[in-house]
Amino acid sequence: MNLKYDVEELTNFIRQTLISQFIPENDAEIISERMIDADLRGMHGHGIFRLPPYMRRIHEGGYNINPNIKNLHETPVSALVDGDNGFGQLVMTHAADLAIKKAKESGLAWIGIQNSNHAGAAGVYVAMTLSHDLIGIYMAVANANHMPPWGGTDMLLSTNPIAFSIPAGEEDPIVLDIATTETSYGKVKVYADIDKEMPVGWMLNKDGTPLTDPKKASEGFLLPIGGHKGYGLNLIVGMMAGVMNQANFGSNVIDFNANFKSPTNTGQAFFAIKPNLFQSLESFKKETDIRIREIKNSTPMDPSNPVQIPGHMAVQREKEMRRNGVPVSEKTTQLLSELEKKYNTKVPFHYKGA
Amino acid sequence: MNLKYDVEELTNFIRQTLISQFIPENDAEIISERMIDADLRGMHGHGIFRLPPYMRRIHEGGYNINPNIKNLHETPVSALVDGDNGFGQLVMTHAADLAIKKAKESGLAWIGIQNSNHAGAAGVYVAMTLSHDLIGIYMAVANANHMPPWGGTDMLLSTNPIAFSIPAGEEDPIVLDIATTETSYGKVKVYADIDKEMPVGWMLNKDGTPLTDPKKASEGFLLPIGGHKGYGLNLIVGMMAGVMNQANFGSNVIDFNANFKSPTNTGQAFFAIKPNLFQSLESFKKETDIRIREIKNSTPMDPSNPVQIPGHMAVQREKEMRRNGVPVSEKTTQLLSELEKKYNTKVPFHYKGA
């Protein structure tokens, strides 16, 4: 049973917990907001759920809690952001803001990011472009290798996500946030918890046979979307978010679930572009609305399930959560209570009802 | 049984056939080279195979054979190329050259393309960046809708390809060229020709059940890679290559297999970026080589099938074809002979043995 918490209180709890461990106040504010932004999109695996492991990483010395984030090799349309091993949310917010600023001035901008960390939900960052009427693209090297290259068995690849945002007119914008794997390792863990068989196509055993028992997940590996196609996309994300920024990719990726001490040198990339480089913003938005409506009003296979536009459900989820609270699992609630005691944060941590 | 033709002779045959129908000589040269480039990558469905339908389109008035290709809304890092309904190969070569020129000067460039046509293999265009040590990205709205949005049944989407190129050092570069569908309609036709059952996952019937009989393909539709994920990618490509450039996408896509008269207003997008915006080219190439070698030397699932790097097989195929000729099916050879007679091109059209 999930408990539901007020958005502001939950954000404040994260903020206070971070401040108690000497994260600067402004930084704690940004980190807490980005984490709750993930919850508000429905990406609960990247929201407050992550606070306990992040706190452990602070304690074991894996984070630089007072990073000096720098822009290197800057041009009007590009920069390499050195995250100085700060929180990923902090580094990525800096990078997305920089891309937005440069794209507004120069039409487009590509920001490479090195020495960053896990930043949570990709959709959160691309969505930052929307209020500026920009299209966004985000790529990241994920922080644990659970997949071999296609046709191989060595775990050299992670779930490497890619995300896009497209502003619309009267319609809600398009926000796509996908891993290049068929499923996430987090989802596999959920299936293991409830002892549910996984569908064929999510994972393979090392001999190439389907792995459907989630309790045996550690014996096999995740599968890319579309076989060799998703493997290729995964590799490209690794090259453009990792190698291009002198960040880790391949065998030098640090497994952040196993190692809380070593800097991860996480690589990300962020691109922003003005759609009105090519036509008026008005005509772009009008045509975007037409295409969105055409798809969402198209014939569904099952009449009770209308066709969805990527990102539209997230808008509804956020409205619902702002009204009725953010769902947090009992297990996470328990872990958060432990943090509360440990750090003596004494934040009013009420739940608003199940 | 395929016949094999000399690369130069085959290119020359295309060139002469185009010139016979009043395509300007320089344009015919570019178009023929890009078409054979597709064959040389092994993408035979986008090579000389396309000459008969292209000639039909010329005859029915679907092409502007003497287009005035213009750069609109130009900035140092962007432009909208108006293809004036010329051959896609011509328009895309212009656009890729422009992106490369601007990226060499400014670090990166995004070129939108409108009023273009089918340009063949995506990999051909991104590969053009490699000799300039640039990374390339290409997206296109494909020219026939064979897929509904995920969960729907209305044919609003095509195979919308996306391609990437990454230069390497001593290793062959990475070139990824994928449709966002599990398979192409061309491949389905091949299965129908040889009366072979398709695997589950390629196509669905309108009621959502798997369609595996390729002869019934017209009753069903293609499936995206990774379900809703590939649908999302497909939609993003449609927005960035189509809508952003005031090109066709969705219900206004012209089916170029059925309609040879109407301008298709095909949309494409091309992006080029210098990896040495973020580090020296030397260190980028060195690290790229390390990651390529790590993957290609990793343990294969089947010891007789080494792990592949996207684009590496194409390099081998080109070498093989330059030595031993380009394979052309008997059916295509017959169609080409008909063109030869019709246009009286009298090109020495020898085959080099089966």
Side-chain angles (χ1 to χ4, degrees):
Chain A
M1 176 75 83
N2 290 329
L3 303 181
K4 291 192 173 179
Y5 293 90
D6 178 77
V7 173
E8 297 309 322
E9 287 187 37
L10 214 50
T11 313
N12 196 38
F13 176 74
I14 299 176
R15 199 169 61 82
Q16 293 298 332
T17 306
L18 293 169
I19 290 169
S20 79
Q21 297 314 299
F22 311 106
I23 300 272
E25 210 156 316
N26 279 342
D27 293 359
E29 182 139 348
I30 292 168
I31 297 164
S32 61
E33 281 176 4
R34 287 301 94 75
M35 287 174 68
I36 294 299
D37 283 348
D39 275 310
L40 288 172
R41 300 194 65 81
M43 308 288 282
H44 297 298
H46 291 293
I48 190 158
F49 169 81
R50 296 279 177 170
L51 188 60
Y54 289 167
M55 296 312 289
R56 181 169 168 194
R57 180 165 291 277
I58 290 177
H59 277 263
E60 297 201 12
Y63 277 125
N64 179 355
I65 59 169
N66 206 350
N68 176 18
I69 301 173
K70 290 174 292 292
N71 304 338
L72 309 176
H73 312 307
E74 216 172 337
T75 80
V77 290
S78 66
L80 176 65
V81 167
D82 177 352
D84 197 21
N85 196 31
F87 263 71
Q89 285 81 355
L90 201 60
V91 179
M92 268 313 306
T93 300
H94 174 96
D97 283 342
L98 185 63
I100 289 165
K101 181 170 169 281
K102 285 181 187 285
K104 285 169 87 167
E105 284 165 12
S106 307
L108 49 80
W110 184 287
I111 307 297
I113 298 110
Q114 64 174 205
N115 297 318
S116 181
N117 278 292
H118 180 259
V124 164
Y125 302 97
V126 288
M128 288 170 67
T129 64
L130 294 167
S131 62
H132 303 276
D133 288 326
L134 296 169
I135 289 174
I137 304 180
Y138 171 75
M139 303 179 186
V141 180
N143 298 90
N145 287 347
H146 292 300
M147 187 166 80
W150 185 244
T153 59
D154 295 345
M155 300 292 199
L156 292 170
L157 304 171
S158 48
T159 53
N160 294 359
I162 184 165
F164 301 85
S165 59
I166 313 265
E170 293 166 9
E171 295 293 320
D172 288 329
I174 302 172
V175 176
L176 180 72
D177 173 358
I178 57 170
T180 45
T181 46
E182 277 284 347
T183 192
S184 66
Y185 217 75
K187 211 161 169 181
V188 173
K189 283 179 191 160
V190 170
Y191 270 61
D193 275 350
I194 59 175
D195 212 3
K196 189 175 168 182
E197 200 183 359
M198 299 186 294
V200 170
W202 279 15
M203 293 192 76
L204 281 191
N205 291 301
K206 289 203 171 165
D207 63 0
T209 55
L211 191 165
T212 56
D213 179 354
K215 293 203 193 307
K216 292 185 177 163
S218 64
E219 296 169 25
F221 43 77
L222 296 180
L223 277 167
I225 55 171
H228 70 281
K229 297 185 180 187
Y231 153 54
L233 274 177
N234 190 295
L235 174 60
I236 294 292
V237 170
M239 297 303 301
M240 298 191 78
V243 171
M244 192 155 82
N245 306 322
Q246 299 191 284
N248 288 353
F249 174 56
S251 61
N252 61 12
V253 163
I254 304 289
D255 182 349
F256 77 152
N257 293 312
N259 176 341
F260 293 79
K261 286 185 174 63
S262 307
T264 63
N265 188 10
T266 299
Q268 287 125 345
F270 198 91
F271 177 69
I273 185 170
K274 269 186 195 170
N276 41 328
L277 281 175
F278 309 108
Q279 62 185 296
S280 76
L281 188 61
E282 196 192 348
S283 76
F284 173 78
K285 287 186 166 187
K286 201 176 150 191
E287 183 68 14
T288 298
D289 280 354
I290 289 171
R291 297 302 144 210
I292 288 174
R293 285 171 189 149
E294 173 172 278
I295 291 176
K296 78 176 192 184
N297 297 328
S298 70
T299 315
M301 196 174 283
D302 166 1
S304 62
N305 277 321
V307 173
Q308 295 292 329
I309 301 291
H312 282 201
M313 224 181 254
V315 175
Q316 295 313 312
R317 285 191 193 114
E318 173 163 356
K319 281 181 191 160
E320 209 280 324
M321 285 183 238
R322 287 202 183 276
R323 261 195 314 269
N324 300 320
V326 176
V328 178
S329 74
E330 274 185 289
K331 194 177 163 192
T332 301
T333 295
Q334 197 190 317
L335 290 171
L336 298 180
S337 301
E338 287 170 22
L339 292 183
E340 202 179 352
K341 279 176 216 131
K342 190 167 173 188
Y343 300 121
N344 197 26
T345 43
K346 294 205 172 108
V347 174
F349 195 57
H350 304 301
Y351 80 96
K352 291 182 105 184
Chain B
M1 178 72 83
N2 290 329
L3 303 179
K4 291 193 174 179
Y5 294 89
D6 177 77
V7 173
E8 296 309 321
E9 288 188 34
L10 215 50
T11 313
N12 196 38
F13 176 74
I14 299 176
R15 199 169 60 83
Q16 292 299 333
T17 306
L18 293 168
I19 289 170
S20 81
Q21 297 312 299
F22 312 107
I23 300 272
E25 211 157 314
N26 278 342
D27 293 1
E29 183 141 344
I30 291 168
I31 297 164
S32 61
E33 281 175 5
R34 284 305 94 73
M35 285 173 70
I36 294 299
D37 283 348
D39 276 309
L40 288 172
R41 298 193 67 80
M43 309 289 281
H44 297 298
H46 292 293
I48 191 159
F49 170 81
R50 296 280 177 170
L51 188 59
Y54 288 168
M55 295 312 289
R56 181 170 170 194
R57 179 164 291 277
I58 290 177
H59 278 263
E60 297 200 12
Y63 276 127
N64 179 356
I65 59 169
N66 205 349
N68 177 18
I69 301 173
K70 290 175 293 289
N71 303 338
L72 309 175
H73 311 308
E74 216 172 336
T75 80
V77 289
S78 65
L80 177 64
V81 167
D82 177 352
D84 197 21
N85 196 31
F87 263 71
Q89 285 81 355
L90 200 61
V91 179
M92 268 312 306
T93 300
H94 174 96
D97 283 341
L98 185 63
I100 289 165
K101 181 172 170 279
K102 285 180 187 287
K104 284 169 86 167
E105 286 166 11
S106 306
L108 51 80
W110 185 288
I111 307 297
I113 298 111
Q114 62 173 205
N115 297 317
S116 181
N117 278 292
H118 180 259
V124 164
Y125 301 97
V126 288
M128 289 170 65
T129 65
L130 294 168
S131 62
H132 303 277
D133 288 326
L134 297 169
I135 289 174
I137 305 180
Y138 171 74
M139 304 180 187
V141 180
N143 297 92
N145 287 347
H146 291 300
M147 187 166 80
W150 185 245
T153 60
D154 295 346
M155 299 291 199
L156 292 170
L157 304 171
S158 48
T159 52
N160 294 358
I162 185 164
F164 300 84
S165 60
I166 312 264
E170 292 165 12
E171 295 293 320
D172 288 327
I174 302 172
V175 176
L176 180 73
D177 174 358
I178 57 170
T180 45
T181 47
E182 277 285 347
T183 191
S184 67
Y185 217 74
K187 212 162 169 182
V188 173
K189 284 178 191 162
V190 170
Y191 271 60
D193 276 351
I194 58 174
D195 213 4
K196 188 176 169 182
E197 199 182 0
M198 299 186 295
V200 170
W202 279 16
M203 293 193 75
L204 280 191
N205 291 300
K206 289 202 171 167
D207 62 0
T209 56
L211 190 165
T212 56
D213 179 354
K215 293 202 193 308
K216 293 186 177 161
S218 63
E219 296 170 25
F221 42 77
L222 296 180
L223 277 168
I225 55 172
H228 71 281
K229 296 185 181 187
Y231 152 56
L233 274 177
N234 190 295
L235 174 60
I236 294 292
V237 171
M239 297 304 300
M240 298 193 79
V243 171
M244 193 154 82
N245 306 323
Q246 299 193 282
N248 288 353
F249 174 57
S251 60
N252 61 12
V253 163
I254 304 290
D255 181 349
F256 78 151
N257 293 313
N259 176 341
F260 293 81
K261 286 183 175 63
S262 307
T264 63
N265 188 11
T266 300
Q268 287 124 346
F270 198 92
F271 176 70
I273 184 169
K274 268 186 198 170
N276 41 329
L277 280 175
F278 308 108
Q279 62 185 295
S280 75
L281 188 60
E282 195 192 346
S283 76
F284 173 77
K285 287 186 166 187
K286 201 176 150 192
E287 184 67 15
T288 298
D289 279 353
I290 290 172
R291 296 302 145 211
I292 288 175
R293 285 172 191 149
E294 172 171 278
I295 291 176
K296 77 176 191 182
N297 297 328
S298 71
T299 314
M301 196 175 283
D302 166 2
S304 63
N305 277 321
V307 173
Q308 294 293 328
I309 301 291
H312 282 201
M313 225 183 255
V315 175
Q316 296 312 313
R317 287 190 193 114
E318 172 164 354
K319 281 181 191 159
E320 208 280 323
M321 286 183 240
R322 289 202 181 275
R323 263 197 310 269
N324 301 320
V326 176
V328 177
S329 75
E330 274 185 290
K331 194 178 163 190
T332 300
T333 295
Q334 197 189 316
L335 290 170
L336 298 180
S337 301
E338 287 169 21
L339 293 182
E340 203 180 351
K341 280 177 214 132
K342 190 168 172 186
Y343 301 120
N344 195 27
T345 42
K346 293 201 173 108
V347 173
F349 196 56
H350 305 300
Y351 81 94
K352 292 182 105 183

